[in-house]
Amino acid sequence: MIVDLPDSTISRVQKTLVKIREEGGAVALGRVLTLIISTRLGDEEEAIEAANDASREHPMRVIVVSTSTDLDDVDGRLDAQIRVGGDAGASEVILLRAYGETASDEEGLVTGLLLPDAPVVAWWPKTAPPVVSESPLGRIAQRRITDAASQSNPRQSIIDLARSYAPGDTDFAWTRLTLWRAQLAAVLDQPPYESVTEVGVSGAPDSPSTLLLAAWLRLQLQVPVDGDLTTRATGSSGIHGVRLVRASGSIVLERSLDDVATLTQPGQPTHDLALPRRSLRDCLAEELRRLDPDDLFGNVVRHGVGQLSEPVQSN
């Protein structure tokens, strides 16, 4: 069910939610968190679809704050929409389209709609504030999710995040590494148990995940990491492959197809492994599984990214 509330107020939205709950049985009880999505007008639907899919694992209230890029050229107005039932997955979606001066107070728009005693997660699917933890929505959220791949300069946005990081910050560039990190950890957990002496990471020049993977390996293994940033003839984006050098030879994990990676190890047959590119829904669902700060990501982004340009300290 979709209820449109043009030229509305937050008070009217609250009353309509109560009415829907009383008359239709659609309730906010059992919601485990409030997800606030901050985006621009016209960019809402992809994020709402991902949130609806993720809500089947994490029942929640979704508040979408959609604002105009031009705050001064239109009169202040709030057009609201409430989606429940089949149009909202296992969540309830409150879409707030704010225009003009009304769009300047994002925190004020959402405060009255937050679920009581429930954690708040803020997500910027596209352009994010320079320092998310100090932004109006970031200040009221326990977790703050950005996506460096959607920024104008993806790799620089990770470097900027390293400088402004606060506990609770995370980025989908890190979430997309989960399968890569799991595969690499599994390989190193098998004999022969030799130390890695050198690492090579290759990826597209605009791939923030490649930067984070190199930083993670440098931080965990304390060895030199060589980054090869090239655009393949096929136009492949993201991470292309990883090479781990040991005394017995090199372990190479290379993505040969979009969903398949080839693992080559000394003295063993070549294996094809499933390594799919993660969808927006998968990334969001994973991030919502933990509402405490991701300490590993914090260490990688604060210390590992900076170490890439520093010499390795001998132990």
Side-chain angles (χ1 to χ4, degrees):
M1 179 173 67
I2 298 178
V3 179
D4 289 309
L5 301 170
D7 199 6
S8 189
T9 63
I10 296 301
S11 176
R12 185 182 173 197
V13 173
Q14 291 173 316
K15 291 177 181 178
T16 304
L17 282 170
V18 173
K19 183 179 179 181
I20 291 173
R21 183 166 62 246
E22 291 176 347
E23 295 182 356
V27 300
L29 302 179
R31 308 301 187 206
V32 298
L33 60 92
T34 301
L35 174 66
I36 304 174
I37 303 174
S38 177
T39 186
R40 294 298 184 185
L41 290 169
D43 293 336
E44 310 96 347
E45 293 304 327
E46 183 181 16
I48 292 175
E49 182 179 354
N52 286 346
D53 287 342
S55 72
R56 293 176 171 85
E57 183 177 340
H58 311 280
M60 56 188 167
R61 171 173 287 181
V62 180
I63 305 174
V64 184
V65 182
S66 180
T67 58
S68 169
T69 55
D70 219 335
L71 301 182
D72 299 324
D73 289 351
V74 293
D75 294 333
R77 187 177 87 250
L78 176 66
D79 291 341
Q81 185 182 83
I82 299 174
R83 304 181 187 182
V84 295
D87 295 293
S91 65
E92 54 189 4
V93 178
I94 305 168
L95 175 55
L96 306 175
R97 293 189 176 98
Y99 302 84
E101 187 177 337
T102 305
S104 63
D105 185 15
E106 290 182 318
E107 183 178 355
L109 288 173
V110 304
T111 299
L113 300 173
L114 301 178
L115 291 175
D117 302 320
V120 177
V121 179
W123 174 30
W124 292 265
K126 299 292 185 181
T127 304
V131 182
V132 291
S133 61
E134 298 177 3
S135 66
L137 296 180
R139 287 195 296 264
I140 62 175
Q142 282 76 42
R143 292 295 303 277
R144 298 168 291 274
I145 305 171
T146 53
D147 191 352
S150 298
Q151 311 305 309
S152 58
N153 190 333
R155 288 175 62 87
Q156 184 60 45
S157 69
I158 290 295
I159 296 172
D160 293 341
L161 179 58
R163 296 169 180 157
S164 65
Y165 174 83
D169 292 349
T170 193
D171 193 279
F172 280 164
W174 174 250
T175 320
R176 295 185 182 102
L177 290 180
T178 299
L179 300 181
W180 280 91
R181 293 192 293 118
Q183 291 288 2
L184 292 171
V187 169
L188 294 178
D189 204 29
Q190 301 173 5
Y193 302 106
E194 300 172 327
S195 298
V196 175
T197 58
E198 186 181 341
V199 175
V201 178
S202 60
D206 62 347
S207 169
S209 293
T210 302
L211 175 63
L212 286 175
L213 181 58
W216 174 67
L217 289 168
R218 168 66 188 261
L219 193 66
Q220 296 298 109
L221 301 176
Q222 289 297 301
V223 296
V225 176
D226 177 40
D228 180 19
L229 302 178
T230 57
T231 302
R232 290 179 171 173
T234 58
S236 178
S237 60
I239 302 168
H240 295 163
V242 178
R243 184 185 73 260
L244 305 176
V245 180
R246 299 194 294 190
S248 60
S250 296
I251 300 169
V252 179
L253 180 64
E254 184 176 28
R255 178 177 265 152
S256 50
L257 300 171
D258 273 352
D259 295 333
V260 178
T262 301
L263 175 63
T264 306
Q265 303 179 79
Q268 296 191 31
T270 299
H271 297 283
D272 288 334
L273 306 174
L275 197 65
R277 297 185 186 276
R278 308 198 71 192
S279 68
L280 205 59
R281 182 266 175 210
D282 291 337
C283 291
L284 181 61
E286 179 177 328
E287 287 300 336
L288 295 180
R289 288 180 196 132
R290 60 178 304 161
L291 298 176
D292 57 318
D294 188 338
D295 294 332
L296 178 58
F297 172 71
N299 288 332
V300 169
V301 77
R302 285 184 300 166
H303 305 301
V305 170
Q307 279 189 4
L308 288 176
S309 60
E310 300 173 357
V312 179
Q313 300 296 324
S314 58
N315 294 327

